[in-house]
PDB file of all heavy atoms in Angstrom:
ATOM      1  N   LEU A  13       6.650 -13.294 -34.884  1.00  0.00           N
ATOM      2  CA  LEU A  13       7.431 -12.206 -34.169  1.00  0.00           C
ATOM      3  C   LEU A  13       6.566 -11.031 -33.773  1.00  0.00           C
ATOM      4  O   LEU A  13       6.744 -10.514 -32.674  1.00  0.00           O
ATOM      5  CB  LEU A  13       8.611 -11.759 -35.121  1.00  0.00           C
ATOM      6  CG  LEU A  13       9.742 -12.763 -35.294  1.00  0.00           C
ATOM      7  CD1 LEU A  13      10.766 -12.171 -36.305  1.00  0.00           C
ATOM      8  CD2 LEU A  13      10.430 -13.024 -33.978  1.00  0.00           C
ATOM      9  N   ASP A  14       5.655 -10.653 -34.719  1.00  0.00           N
ATOM     10  CA  ASP A  14       4.772  -9.495 -34.411  1.00  0.00           C
ATOM     11  C   ASP A  14       3.917  -9.771 -33.213  1.00  0.00           C
ATOM     12  O   ASP A  14       3.514  -8.885 -32.477  1.00  0.00           O
ATOM     13  CB  ASP A  14       3.941  -9.176 -35.637  1.00  0.00           C
ATOM     14  CG  ASP A  14       4.707  -8.478 -36.712  1.00  0.00           C
ATOM     15  OD1 ASP A  14       5.803  -7.955 -36.339  1.00  0.00           O
ATOM     16  OD2 ASP A  14       4.300  -8.432 -37.887  1.00  0.00           O
ATOM     17  N   ASN A  15       3.545 -11.030 -33.012  1.00  0.00           N
ATOM     18  CA  ASN A  15       2.604 -11.389 -31.963  1.00  0.00           C
ATOM     19  C   ASN A  15       3.287 -12.362 -30.913  1.00  0.00           C
ATOM     20  O   ASN A  15       2.589 -13.096 -30.220  1.00  0.00           O
ATOM     21  CB  ASN A  15       1.415 -12.177 -32.550  1.00  0.00           C
ATOM     22  CG  ASN A  15       0.618 -11.281 -33.544  1.00  0.00           C
ATOM     23  OD1 ASN A  15      -0.023 -10.284 -33.093  1.00  0.00           O
ATOM     24  ND2 ASN A  15       0.824 -11.472 -34.775  1.00  0.00           N
ATOM     25  N   LEU A  16       4.604 -12.207 -30.799  1.00  0.00           N
ATOM     26  CA  LEU A  16       5.320 -13.029 -29.891  1.00  0.00           C
ATOM     27  C   LEU A  16       4.822 -13.038 -28.462  1.00  0.00           C
ATOM     28  O   LEU A  16       4.727 -14.040 -27.812  1.00  0.00           O
ATOM     29  CB  LEU A  16       6.817 -12.738 -29.921  1.00  0.00           C
ATOM     30  CG  LEU A  16       7.726 -13.695 -29.173  1.00  0.00           C
ATOM     31  CD1 LEU A  16       7.702 -15.032 -29.814  1.00  0.00           C
ATOM     32  CD2 LEU A  16       9.119 -13.216 -29.005  1.00  0.00           C
ATOM     33  N   VAL A  17       4.365 -11.858 -27.969  1.00  0.00           N
ATOM     34  CA  VAL A  17       3.972 -11.720 -26.590  1.00  0.00           C
ATOM     35  C   VAL A  17       2.662 -12.544 -26.383  1.00  0.00           C
ATOM     36  O   VAL A  17       2.533 -13.197 -25.340  1.00  0.00           O
ATOM     37  CB  VAL A  17       3.803 -10.264 -26.264  1.00  0.00           C
ATOM     38  CG1 VAL A  17       2.753  -9.543 -27.061  1.00  0.00           C
ATOM     39  CG2 VAL A  17       3.494 -10.138 -24.772  1.00  0.00           C
ATOM     40  N   TRP A  18       1.885 -12.643 -27.417  1.00  0.00           N
ATOM     41  CA  TRP A  18       0.597 -13.441 -27.275  1.00  0.00           C
ATOM     42  C   TRP A  18       0.995 -14.959 -27.191  1.00  0.00           C
ATOM     43  O   TRP A  18       0.353 -15.710 -26.498  1.00  0.00           O
ATOM     44  CB  TRP A  18      -0.333 -13.239 -28.463  1.00  0.00           C
ATOM     45  CG  TRP A  18      -1.013 -11.885 -28.403  1.00  0.00           C
ATOM     46  CD1 TRP A  18      -0.714 -10.725 -29.103  1.00  0.00           C
ATOM     47  CD2 TRP A  18      -2.070 -11.539 -27.534  1.00  0.00           C
ATOM     48  NE1 TRP A  18      -1.507  -9.712 -28.749  1.00  0.00           N
ATOM     49  CE2 TRP A  18      -2.355 -10.163 -27.813  1.00  0.00           C
ATOM     50  CE3 TRP A  18      -2.871 -12.194 -26.586  1.00  0.00           C
ATOM     51  CZ2 TRP A  18      -3.396  -9.457 -27.150  1.00  0.00           C
ATOM     52  CZ3 TRP A  18      -3.825 -11.485 -25.917  1.00  0.00           C
ATOM     53  CH2 TRP A  18      -4.127 -10.117 -26.212  1.00  0.00           C
ATOM     54  N   PHE A  19       2.006 -15.358 -28.008  1.00  0.00           N
ATOM     55  CA  PHE A  19       2.424 -16.774 -27.943  1.00  0.00           C
ATOM     56  C   PHE A  19       3.069 -17.035 -26.617  1.00  0.00           C
ATOM     57  O   PHE A  19       2.866 -18.138 -26.046  1.00  0.00           O
ATOM     58  CB  PHE A  19       3.404 -17.014 -29.124  1.00  0.00           C
ATOM     59  CG  PHE A  19       2.794 -17.094 -30.458  1.00  0.00           C
ATOM     60  CD1 PHE A  19       2.924 -16.053 -31.363  1.00  0.00           C
ATOM     61  CD2 PHE A  19       1.987 -18.174 -30.811  1.00  0.00           C
ATOM     62  CE1 PHE A  19       2.295 -16.115 -32.594  1.00  0.00           C
ATOM     63  CE2 PHE A  19       1.341 -18.223 -32.043  1.00  0.00           C
ATOM     64  CZ  PHE A  19       1.483 -17.202 -32.941  1.00  0.00           C
ATOM     65  N   MET A  20       3.800 -16.032 -26.070  1.00  0.00           N
ATOM     66  CA  MET A  20       4.343 -16.249 -24.728  1.00  0.00           C
ATOM     67  C   MET A  20       3.329 -16.433 -23.748  1.00  0.00           C
ATOM     68  O   MET A  20       3.438 -17.302 -22.828  1.00  0.00           O
ATOM     69  CB  MET A  20       5.276 -15.014 -24.446  1.00  0.00           C
ATOM     70  CG  MET A  20       6.664 -15.048 -25.034  1.00  0.00           C
ATOM     71  SD  MET A  20       7.339 -13.383 -25.125  1.00  0.00           S
ATOM     72  CE  MET A  20       7.433 -12.855 -23.447  1.00  0.00           C
ATOM     73  N   LEU A  21       2.270 -15.659 -23.821  1.00  0.00           N
ATOM     74  CA  LEU A  21       1.136 -15.720 -22.907  1.00  0.00           C
ATOM     75  C   LEU A  21       0.536 -17.109 -23.001  1.00  0.00           C
ATOM     76  O   LEU A  21       0.248 -17.765 -21.895  1.00  0.00           O
ATOM     77  CB  LEU A  21       0.121 -14.633 -23.234  1.00  0.00           C
ATOM     78  CG  LEU A  21      -1.164 -14.694 -22.408  1.00  0.00           C
ATOM     79  CD1 LEU A  21      -0.892 -14.419 -20.970  1.00  0.00           C
ATOM     80  CD2 LEU A  21      -2.196 -13.628 -22.960  1.00  0.00           C
ATOM     81  N   LEU A  22       0.275 -17.587 -24.188  1.00  0.00           N
ATOM     82  CA  LEU A  22      -0.288 -18.882 -24.371  1.00  0.00           C
ATOM     83  C   LEU A  22       0.594 -19.990 -23.792  1.00  0.00           C
ATOM     84  O   LEU A  22       0.115 -20.889 -23.029  1.00  0.00           O
ATOM     85  CB  LEU A  22      -0.477 -19.148 -25.887  1.00  0.00           C
ATOM     86  CG  LEU A  22      -1.423 -20.324 -26.315  1.00  0.00           C
ATOM     87  CD1 LEU A  22      -2.830 -20.026 -25.816  1.00  0.00           C
ATOM     88  CD2 LEU A  22      -1.364 -20.587 -27.796  1.00  0.00           C
ATOM     89  N   PHE A  23       1.855 -19.865 -24.084  1.00  0.00           N
ATOM     90  CA  PHE A  23       2.867 -20.858 -23.547  1.00  0.00           C
ATOM     91  C   PHE A  23       2.781 -20.885 -22.001  1.00  0.00           C
ATOM     92  O   PHE A  23       2.738 -21.969 -21.414  1.00  0.00           O
ATOM     93  CB  PHE A  23       4.262 -20.433 -24.100  1.00  0.00           C
ATOM     94  CG  PHE A  23       5.372 -21.277 -23.516  1.00  0.00           C
ATOM     95  CD1 PHE A  23       5.597 -22.534 -23.997  1.00  0.00           C
ATOM     96  CD2 PHE A  23       6.241 -20.729 -22.580  1.00  0.00           C
ATOM     97  CE1 PHE A  23       6.671 -23.285 -23.475  1.00  0.00           C
ATOM     98  CE2 PHE A  23       7.264 -21.553 -22.026  1.00  0.00           C
ATOM     99  CZ  PHE A  23       7.474 -22.843 -22.509  1.00  0.00           C
ATOM    100  N   VAL A  24       2.868 -19.701 -21.439  1.00  0.00           N
ATOM    101  CA  VAL A  24       2.846 -19.634 -19.968  1.00  0.00           C
ATOM    102  C   VAL A  24       1.560 -20.228 -19.401  1.00  0.00           C
ATOM    103  O   VAL A  24       1.572 -20.949 -18.374  1.00  0.00           O
ATOM    104  CB  VAL A  24       3.019 -18.123 -19.504  1.00  0.00           C
ATOM    105  CG1 VAL A  24       2.539 -17.867 -18.181  1.00  0.00           C
ATOM    106  CG2 VAL A  24       4.460 -17.704 -19.682  1.00  0.00           C
ATOM    107  N   LEU A  25       0.432 -19.917 -19.998  1.00  0.00           N
ATOM    108  CA  LEU A  25      -0.834 -20.428 -19.540  1.00  0.00           C
ATOM    109  C   LEU A  25      -0.842 -21.987 -19.572  1.00  0.00           C
ATOM    110  O   LEU A  25      -1.278 -22.636 -18.691  1.00  0.00           O
ATOM    111  CB  LEU A  25      -2.008 -19.896 -20.323  1.00  0.00           C
ATOM    112  CG  LEU A  25      -2.346 -18.419 -20.110  1.00  0.00           C
ATOM    113  CD1 LEU A  25      -3.489 -17.968 -20.985  1.00  0.00           C
ATOM    114  CD2 LEU A  25      -2.688 -18.194 -18.644  1.00  0.00           C
ATOM    115  N   VAL A  26      -0.301 -22.524 -20.737  1.00  0.00           N
ATOM    116  CA  VAL A  26      -0.250 -23.992 -20.820  1.00  0.00           C
ATOM    117  C   VAL A  26       0.611 -24.609 -19.744  1.00  0.00           C
ATOM    118  O   VAL A  26       0.284 -25.576 -19.090  1.00  0.00           O
ATOM    119  CB  VAL A  26       0.205 -24.355 -22.281  1.00  0.00           C
ATOM    120  CG1 VAL A  26       0.415 -25.899 -22.357  1.00  0.00           C
ATOM    121  CG2 VAL A  26      -0.869 -23.954 -23.337  1.00  0.00           C
ATOM    122  N   ILE A  27       1.848 -24.016 -19.656  1.00  0.00           N
ATOM    123  CA  ILE A  27       2.821 -24.593 -18.690  1.00  0.00           C
ATOM    124  C   ILE A  27       2.225 -24.533 -17.256  1.00  0.00           C
ATOM    125  O   ILE A  27       2.262 -25.549 -16.519  1.00  0.00           O
ATOM    126  CB  ILE A  27       4.132 -23.762 -18.744  1.00  0.00           C
ATOM    127  CG1 ILE A  27       4.852 -24.041 -20.069  1.00  0.00           C
ATOM    128  CG2 ILE A  27       5.068 -24.112 -17.526  1.00  0.00           C
ATOM    129  CD1 ILE A  27       5.386 -25.468 -20.225  1.00  0.00           C
ATOM    130  N   PHE A  28       1.652 -23.363 -16.894  1.00  0.00           N
ATOM    131  CA  PHE A  28       1.079 -23.279 -15.533  1.00  0.00           C
ATOM    132  C   PHE A  28      -0.030 -24.269 -15.339  1.00  0.00           C
ATOM    133  O   PHE A  28      -0.257 -24.759 -14.254  1.00  0.00           O
ATOM    134  CB  PHE A  28       0.673 -21.840 -15.207  1.00  0.00           C
ATOM    135  CG  PHE A  28       1.835 -20.848 -14.962  1.00  0.00           C
ATOM    136  CD1 PHE A  28       1.713 -19.564 -15.310  1.00  0.00           C
ATOM    137  CD2 PHE A  28       3.025 -21.344 -14.454  1.00  0.00           C
ATOM    138  CE1 PHE A  28       2.747 -18.641 -15.104  1.00  0.00           C
ATOM    139  CE2 PHE A  28       4.093 -20.436 -14.213  1.00  0.00           C
ATOM    140  CZ  PHE A  28       3.956 -19.116 -14.541  1.00  0.00           C
ATOM    141  N   SER A  29      -0.873 -24.406 -16.397  1.00  0.00           N
ATOM    142  CA  SER A  29      -1.998 -25.304 -16.255  1.00  0.00           C
ATOM    143  C   SER A  29      -1.542 -26.708 -16.018  1.00  0.00           C
ATOM    144  O   SER A  29      -2.189 -27.482 -15.326  1.00  0.00           O
ATOM    145  CB  SER A  29      -2.845 -25.255 -17.582  1.00  0.00           C
ATOM    146  OG  SER A  29      -3.389 -23.945 -17.706  1.00  0.00           O
TER     147      SER A  29
END
Side-chain angles (χ1 to χ4, degrees):
Chain A
L13 287 177
D14 284 344
N15 298 287
L16 189 66
V17 62
W18 288 102
F19 288 106
M20 279 157 61
L21 175 63
L22 194 67
F23 174 76
V24 158
L25 289 177
V26 171
I27 292 291
F28 286 150
S29 298

